[in-house]
Amino acid sequence: VQLVESGGGLVQAGGSLRLSCAASGSAFSITTMGWYRQSPGKQRELVALISLIGSGSTNYADSVKCRLNISRDNAKNPMYLQMNNLNPEDTAVYYCNAVERSPLGFFSRWGQGTQVTVSA
């Protein structure tokens, strides 16, 4: 599957951004999608996950709860990350992730990333 992110940019503290991740070309079912971020000198960390099976449950990192919302309406629509009340600590490259389930097992796929910069 190919993942293409968009929607990053520069925003002032307290502002909002919406990231999009479009998935295409998957020959297998995608079980989970999510957003991760990486700041300079830090490891990539989980931001939010959404299950594409069952009830579509979501999970968030403690640092972003109540400020960020992950969503995906159906398989034809992109996955979104609505980010509100942003602060400089949210500055990072944000990566879209999808987990494919194939007969050989589960495979993790990544997008190229989109930069989010929050100014004080």
Side-chain angles (χ1 to χ4, degrees), residues 39-113:
S39 304
K42 295 185 178 180
Q43 290 187 333
R44 191 172 297 188
E45 63 176 357
L46 171 67
V47 176
L49 288 174
I50 184 167
S51 173
L52 302 190
I53 57 177
S55 62
S57 60
T58 59
N59 284 288
Y60 297 90
D62 288 342
S63 60
V64 304
K65 281 181 180 178
C66 300
R67 298 190 297 118
L68 273 60
N69 184 68
I70 188 171
S71 64
R72 191 187 194 215
D73 292 335
N74 56 60
K76 295 183 179 180
N77 290 340
M79 177 182 65
Y80 298 105
L81 184 68
Q82 178 66 43
M83 304 190 293
N84 301 319
N85 194 22
L86 288 163
N87 59 65
E89 289 69 37
D90 295 315
T91 295
V93 178
Y94 284 70
Y95 296 91
C96 175
N97 174 266
V99 177
E100 284 187 296
R101 180 173 58 193
S102 78
L104 298 179
F106 293 88
F107 295 90
S108 184
R109 310 298 187 191
W110 295 93
Q112 81 287 352

